[in-house]
Amino acid sequence: MKSKTKLILLEIISLLLVVLFVYAAANKMMDYTRFKVQLEQSPILRDLAYLVAWSIPALEIIIVFLLVIPKYRLLGLYASFFLMVLFTTYLIIILNFFESKDIPCSCGGILNKLGWKTHIYFNLFFIIISAIGITISSYTKKNKFYLTG
């Protein structure tokens, strides 16, 4: 794949992740009380609901800033990858060890409408594109390729 194509793909991946995290954080912050109540219903996060309710949207916004600043994009891609892996691991644990139909999804917005398995596939898509972004970003930094007009 040509360097310019890789850089364009990196921009698209970064944009998709930015849209995802802005959307997710905005939904959580706009309906903070509902988000916190849903976290309190989680058998895993019940005791940490207050901490998680404000730290996850804050982390999502920090990741957005990392992704839009080229100097910090690789860090943002790693953070995106690990956060999505963490979310997906949580969903898999809920699906396999708890009665998932009794636990509401605390994602907000359209994502609330997804079933648990569909949500895992959705997350896997973002894990994969984050990994691709990390690979491209690492390659471009190593080989000093940059997107120029």
Side-chain angles (χ1 to χ4, degrees):
M1 192 183 306
K2 291 184 181 181
S3 296
K4 188 166 184 160
T5 304
K6 288 179 185 178
L7 293 170
I8 291 169
L9 182 57
L10 180 60
E11 293 293 324
I12 292 168
I13 289 169
S14 297
L15 179 62
L16 287 171
L17 290 164
V18 165
V19 169
L20 172 70
F21 288 123
V22 166
Y23 176 79
N27 271 293
K28 290 173 183 113
M29 290 186 293
M30 287 189 308
D31 202 352
Y32 173 82
T33 303
R34 185 169 145 255
F35 175 54
K36 186 173 166 287
V37 166
Q38 288 175 332
L39 290 171
E40 289 168 346
Q41 295 171 359
S42 167
I44 297 173
L45 301 174
R46 182 175 297 129
D47 296 334
L48 301 170
Y50 174 76
L51 175 67
V52 172
W54 64 262
S55 64
I56 293 296
L59 183 58
E60 290 169 336
I61 296 301
I62 290 167
I63 290 171
V64 166
F65 283 110
L66 293 172
L67 289 167
V68 298
I69 301 170
K71 181 178 177 180
Y72 300 110
R73 182 166 291 150
L74 182 57
L75 180 59
L77 289 164
Y78 273 111
S80 299
F81 177 84
F82 287 114
L83 189 59
M84 293 307 296
V85 166
L86 183 67
F87 288 160
T88 306
T89 302
Y90 169 79
L91 291 176
I92 291 169
I93 290 169
I94 291 293
L95 261 179
N96 289 299
F97 299 104
F98 299 96
E99 192 63 39
S100 61
K101 58 183 164 248
D102 296 334
I103 302 168
C105 176
S106 54
C107 299
I110 297 168
L111 301 179
N112 244 350
K113 310 267 185 268
L114 298 178
W116 287 100
K117 288 183 181 178
T118 306
H119 203 131
I120 289 172
Y121 292 128
F122 178 86
N123 287 5
L124 287 173
F125 169 76
F126 283 97
I127 290 169
I128 291 166
I129 69 166
S130 295
I132 292 168
I134 290 167
T135 303
I136 294 170
S137 186
S138 297
Y139 174 81
T140 57
K141 282 185 181 266
K142 179 181 169 191
N143 294 295
K144 309 255 188 284
F145 294 119
Y146 300 100
L147 189 59
T148 55

